[in-house]
Amino acid sequence: MVSIQQVVLNSRPGKNGQPVAQNFRLEESTLPEDLQEGQVKVHTRYLSVDPYMRCRMNEDTGVDYLGPWQVSRVADGGGVGVVEDSKHPMFQKCDVVTSLNWPWQTRAIVDGKVLMKLDPQLVDWHLSYFLGIVGMPGLTSLLGVREKGHVKPGANQTMVVSGAAGACGMLAGQIARLEGCSRVVGICGTDEKCQVLVHEMGFDAAVNYKKDNVAEKLLEYCPDGVDSYFDNVGGQISEVVISQMKKNSHVILCGQISMYNKDVPYPPPLPAQTEATLKERNITRERFVVINYSDKHAMGLVQLSQWLKEGKLKVRETMVKGLENIGAAFESLMKGGNIGKQLVVVSEG
């Protein structure tokens, strides 16, 4: 038997509760030496923590494409690692692989069906990028902008991004520029994040919603109104942005992190005034779920890799070392403690 560490869901925060590190528990366990046919033994390198995981802490996730974590059972999510042994024809020792359902363990034995083989050269061997820029956050940003943003090069369009210093927001703003937006404005929660967006990521301006008057700043930075809004947060910030959107503009409904600790349906209902604005101005606001565009994932990953290698997309990561700290990393993420992609380094090779 092989000794491992694993993280289980220790308790649920309650539908209206703020998640804390103590909702998770580190345990010692073992893996069998022998594999069954079709199984693969993997050594975990990086694990992803993401805002959507908050709903998996509830008994009912509220969506049909995500199951809840079970108390005292191993949690899972996006992960990257290396094959150590395989009885699956598609995988062999030393392959770099990923899964959206990677167990929160130092090592794991998984069904080969849940794994996808990766080409490390796509990210110049920065394997963590497969959980960010050349992974689901990158695809969500790229396909969200392309499928729902209606960006037209040369049309002098303005995009606003909320949660702009997070994994998706930071990329969405850069991609909007590459796709043809003439002006990109970010909304985030600290002056440091604003500085990163403007001076590193190429945003035209950034608003600190905790300090600035968001409505006044948007009028200043987007004097002609907003054409597209990449919405990662929902709540009052989104109500303000929508109030300044043009006729026939578009909301890309990516996430609603401000509402994840509240017992409301997803997407959360809007105030009557905001609903009226959407209707009067013919503003589209459609939920965007990246897994519904699986036929465009391969092409998207190639495009993201190309932009990365050309230096057209910049990357920021917030790394926490040690599987035992994954609960604290998730708590920090939900409080806005990250800049860019939040990751946990489980092992370094």
Side-chain angles (χ1 to χ4, degrees):
M1 304 290 271
V2 178
S3 296
I4 64 164
Q5 290 183 318
Q6 61 187 27
V7 170
V8 303
L9 184 66
N10 187 48
S11 59
R12 300 191 190 278
K15 285 190 173 182
N16 294 299
Q18 180 78 31
V20 294
Q22 291 73 25
N23 292 131
F24 300 95
R25 183 174 74 244
L26 183 72
E27 295 183 342
E28 304 291 328
S29 188
T30 57
L31 293 180
E33 295 281 358
D34 297 326
L35 301 179
Q36 303 296 317
E37 286 301 320
Q39 289 185 328
V40 181
K41 181 183 174 186
V42 291
H43 188 188
T44 307
R45 290 288 173 82
Y46 299 97
L47 293 172
S48 172
V49 289
D50 302 279
Y52 81 85
M53 292 174 169
R54 175 60 185 86
C55 68
R56 300 195 69 189
M57 300 181 78
N58 299 331
E59 288 186 34
D60 179 3
T61 64
V63 293
D64 55 10
Y65 54 88
L66 279 177
W69 288 327
Q70 301 301 319
V71 174
S72 295
R73 301 287 291 272
V74 176
D76 67 311
V80 167
V82 178
V83 174
E84 290 192 326
D85 195 8
S86 174
K87 283 199 172 179
H88 190 287
M90 297 293 291
F91 304 101
Q92 57 188 14
K93 190 174 180 179
C94 296
D95 282 349
V96 177
V97 291
T98 189
S99 174
L100 295 176
N101 301 106
W102 196 287
W104 286 7
Q105 299 179 179
T106 49
R107 284 178 166 83
I109 293 174
V110 298
D111 189 327
K113 293 176 184 175
V114 307
L115 295 175
M116 183 173 79
K117 188 174 176 179
L118 299 170
D119 177 5
Q121 293 187 28
L122 281 175
V123 293
D124 291 332
W125 287 89
H126 292 282
L127 300 187
S128 61
Y129 289 180
F130 284 123
L131 296 176
I133 185 170
V134 189
M136 278 299 159
L139 285 172
T140 300
S141 304
L142 175 65
L143 297 177
V145 170
R146 283 186 171 175
E147 299 296 324
K148 302 292 185 182
H150 300 269
V151 175
K152 301 180 184 71
N156 199 31
Q157 291 169 303
T158 295
M159 179 177 285
V160 171
V161 182
S162 59
C168 285
M170 192 171 280
L171 293 171
Q174 296 180 76
I175 290 168
R177 173 80 78 206
L178 291 168
E179 291 288 286
C181 276
S182 59
R183 190 160 189 78
V184 178
V185 176
I187 303 174
C188 55
T190 70
D191 288 344
E192 180 189 7
K193 291 178 178 179
C194 288
Q195 292 292 315
V196 169
L197 292 177
V198 173
H199 297 295
E200 293 184 29
M201 303 298 158
F203 284 59
D204 293 284
V207 180
N208 179 350
Y209 74 88
K210 292 182 180 178
K211 194 173 81 172
D212 299 328
N213 182 311
V214 176
E216 289 180 1
K217 286 292 184 183
L218 285 180
L219 283 171
E220 177 186 344
Y221 296 145
C222 313
D224 298 323
V226 178
D227 296 281
S228 296
Y229 171 42
F230 199 99
D231 184 6
N232 287 302
V233 303
Q236 291 183 343
I237 290 173
S238 291
E239 293 161 24
V240 172
V241 177
I242 289 169
S243 74
Q244 298 194 27
M245 295 186 73
K246 298 179 181 179
K247 282 189 176 181
N248 304 314
S249 55
H250 307 281
V251 178
I252 306 162
L253 190 57
C254 179
Q256 303 281 277
I257 192 170
S258 74
M259 311 296 282
Y260 287 170
N261 294 326
K262 299 176 183 178
D263 185 12
V264 293
Y266 186 85
L270 295 170
Q273 179 58 53
T274 305
E275 288 282 10
T277 300
L278 292 175
K279 189 172 182 180
E280 289 165 9
R281 300 181 193 171
N282 193 34
I283 300 170
T284 63
R285 179 179 178 263
E286 298 173 341
R287 183 171 166 185
F288 176 76
V289 182
V290 69
I291 58 175
N292 293 341
Y293 296 84
S294 57
D295 60 316
K296 298 182 178 179
H297 286 190
M299 169 209 68
L301 292 173
V302 170
Q303 175 67 85
L304 291 162
S305 171
Q306 180 181 335
W307 280 338
L308 174 67
K309 291 183 176 184
E310 291 172 350
K312 292 179 179 177
L313 282 180
K314 304 291 193 299
V315 182
R316 270 285 196 128
E317 297 175 317
T318 299
M319 296 276 200
V320 172
K321 289 192 175 183
L323 180 65
E324 68 276 10
N325 294 314
I326 197 166
F330 184 68
E331 178 181 350
S332 174
L333 170 81
M334 294 303 291
K335 292 178 178 177
N338 60 301
I339 297 181
K341 178 65 188 164
Q342 178 72 65
L343 296 159
V344 175
V345 185
V346 179
S347 66
E348 296 178 279

